[in-house]
Amino acid sequence: MKGFLIMKNKNELIDAVANRCCMKKKEARVFVNTVFDVMTDILMVDDLHIVNLGTFTKYRLSDKHIFRNPKKNIIVDAVPKNTVRFKISDGFLRKLNDSNDFAECAD
């Protein structure tokens, strides 16, 4: 695969950043963690728009409600939860779909 890095987890992302930026792995770990921390801080108060990547939007998954646990037959309060949605940008989606390298990934 030409130009593609296959990353499955955060440690592999840190390795890729260290290699691409010619920095020590420890420095790359601080950099990646800082980026994720800043993204989290932004999402606490607003949506996060990254040009040519997409939009992260925080929304309430559910309101507080009551349900019954069928195994123990007890009533449980479900607390409201937040989650994040990601909408890919048109430019990034176009770039992914126009790439010929994905045909090689199917093997």
Side-chain angles (χ1 to χ4, degrees), residues 19-63:
N19 290 335
R20 176 80 53 99
C21 297
C22 300
M23 58 175 43
K24 294 178 182 174
K25 190 172 177 180
K26 186 175 183 178
E27 294 169 335
R29 181 177 309 280
V30 170
F31 176 79
V32 169
N33 286 334
T34 301
V35 169
F36 287 156
D37 288 344
V38 169
M39 291 174 68
T40 302
D41 291 345
I42 292 170
L43 281 168
M44 296 298 280
V45 294
D46 201 1
D47 293 348
L48 174 60
H49 305 280
I50 301 175
V51 177
N52 294 326
L53 180 66
T55 302
F56 295 87
T57 305
K58 181 179 89 170
Y59 78 104
R60 178 146 323 264
L61 184 60
S62 63
D63 292 330

Side-chain angles (χ1 to χ4, degrees), residues 76-90:
V76 179
D77 288 334
V79 295
K81 296 181 180 180
N82 293 322
T83 189
V84 175
R85 285 188 177 170
F86 176 72
K87 183 180 182 314
I88 192 169
S89 74
D90 292 337

